Amino acid sequence: MLKKIGIGVAIALSLTTAALLYLWHDRPDFEAAGVRYPAAITATGDAARPVAVTWLGVDTLLIDDGTTQLLTDGFFSRPPLARLFLGKISPDRAAIDRAIARFRIDRLAAVIPVHSHYDHAFDSAEVAKRTGAKLVGSPSTANLGRGAQLPEAQIVTVTDGQTLAFGHFTVTMLVSAHASSRSGPPLPGTIDVPLTPPARASAWKEGASYLILISHPQGRLAIQGSSGIKQHVTEGHAADVLFLAMGGLTLKDPEYRARYWRTYVNGLAVRRVFPIHHEDFLQPFGTVVPQPRILGDMPATIAEIGTIAHASGIAFELPRFGTPIAVFQNY
């Protein structure tokens, strides 16, 4: 009898494992959604070139006018899944060094996390240490810098609406909203003391989430790093180009997605939109695949939003990883 029970348990475990593996690998396809991709430009050090933005996964954007560089997030380490959920994590310094070298991050003025969760601000202080850049953000982001023993002279704690200048760039930080579920946003709260890795991923609390406005003589771009809606945040502001986070939108209804679009795209009167934070960020750096279908069909959501954009006459293009885009041209 016990032997039969044991065999039954083993069969059940095998079937469960097979089902989980199937669900993990059952992923939709971005190409099948019929998305449009922007034309690439060659990223050189020519100061006369157009402003280039290179998407490096999640909300990491390298913004470069040939003289000065800005970087949002700088999330290059990708801790293994088991360690992320069961252990403590630390930035992968070798991975950070490889990314800095590969993408020629050699004129960096500021690292600007969109908020302080691990999938955004995890490497930000280490990037600042290696490049001499300022670490710009909330008091929570400042405590990430202190935990990494970044000099105070490199830490810039901002207030809502504060504007900073870096070369020809002007950066305005507006407190916005993080995406949330019925139980609220994930890992809310603040980092109130210096956070020194290794630590649990849950130690990287949200802090403040920002809508980041970046002005340059060539144009104005905006970055909304999470799919939460904050009414009136765009009042009095405008942009030509918007990088718009998609994370969490698959679990929202069409009315929410339309309201999200109106809040940021119509609110800023932009004419060109790039969806970001749309891939499975548990994958290795540089691997861009949608999350498993069981968590929502992101390509279908992007296609739905693309239909809204097309009806409004707004360019809607999916950036390719590591490919510089002349954001103020060719649309």
Side-chain angles (χ1 to χ4, degrees):
M1 183 67 175
L2 290 176
K3 184 177 180 180
K4 289 183 178 180
I5 293 174
I7 293 173
V9 170
I11 292 172
L13 287 174
S14 297
L15 291 173
T16 300
T17 300
L20 290 174
L21 286 172
Y22 172 78
L23 292 173
W24 178 254
H25 291 289
D26 178 29
R27 298 169 185 265
D29 182 69
F30 284 125
E31 299 285 349
V35 296
R36 176 185 172 190
Y37 292 95
I41 63 171
T42 301
T44 68
D46 181 3
R49 73 160 193 207
V51 170
V53 179
T54 306
W55 177 66
L56 300 176
V58 196
D59 284 346
T60 295
L61 299 168
L62 178 62
I63 305 159
D64 190 347
D65 70 352
T67 302
T68 304
Q69 296 171 326
L70 304 176
L71 184 71
T72 56
D73 291 359
F75 178 45
F76 304 128
S77 300
R78 301 297 171 97
L81 184 62
R83 190 180 306 159
L84 180 64
F85 289 104
L86 301 177
K88 295 183 177 181
I89 57 177
S90 292
D92 183 339
R93 292 173 177 81
I96 294 168
D97 288 340
R98 286 195 298 270
I100 288 173
R102 176 181 173 186
F103 296 103
R104 299 180 182 178
I105 305 174
D106 52 12
R107 290 167 281 110
L108 192 62
V111 184
I112 312 170
V114 298
H115 56 266
S116 296
H117 283 156
Y118 106 92
D119 57 318
H120 299 277
F122 188 54
D123 296 331
S124 57
E126 289 295 334
V127 173
K129 284 175 71 173
R130 280 159 167 68
T131 60
K134 304 285 188 183
L135 177 63
V136 177
S138 69
S140 293
T141 293
N143 274 325
L144 294 178
R146 296 185 183 105
Q149 296 171 356
L150 187 68
E152 283 291 332
Q154 284 180 248
I155 299 173
V156 179
T157 306
V158 298
T159 56
D160 188 11
Q162 184 171 350
T163 295
L164 303 166
F166 301 100
H168 293 297
F169 292 106
T170 300
V171 178
T172 301
M173 306 286 287
L174 301 174
V175 174
S176 187
H178 194 284
S180 63
S181 63
R182 291 179 180 178
S183 59
L187 299 177
T190 56
I191 303 169
D192 297 323
V193 296
L195 174 57
T196 301
R200 300 281 184 184
S202 57
W204 278 264
K205 305 292 186 183
E206 176 192 350
S209 291
Y210 292 100
L211 169 62
I212 303 171
L213 305 179
I214 301 176
S215 295
H216 188 273
Q218 294 183 28
R220 302 163 298 177
L221 67 88
I223 303 156
Q224 171 61 20
S226 189
S227 58
I229 296 173
K230 183 178 180 181
Q231 298 294 340
H232 311 301
V233 68
T234 62
E235 287 185 359
H237 301 284
D240 305 298
V241 175
L242 172 63
F243 287 83
L244 188 65
M246 299 284 110
L249 286 183
T250 58
L251 304 178
K252 301 293 187 181
D253 57 42
E255 191 282 328
Y256 181 95
R257 292 191 284 267
R259 185 157 54 95
Y260 180 61
W261 178 269
R262 291 194 302 270
T263 299
Y264 297 103
V265 178
N266 297 345
L268 291 168
V270 301
R271 303 307 303 165
R272 192 178 197 184
V273 177
F274 296 98
I276 55 174
H277 202 344
H278 52 63
E279 84 279 25
D280 179 359
F281 58 80
L282 299 178
Q283 301 297 312
F285 178 65
T287 300
V288 180
V289 294
Q291 63 195 5
R293 195 183 304 272
I294 193 173
L295 300 177
D297 190 332
M298 181 58 75
T301 297
I302 289 176
E304 174 192 316
I305 295 175
T307 300
I308 298 173
H310 180 74
S312 305
I314 294 171
F316 186 74
E317 303 152 288
L318 194 69
R320 293 188 186 276
F321 178 90
T323 302
I325 307 164
V327 289
F328 302 125
Q329 298 182 358
N330 305 321
Y331 70 100

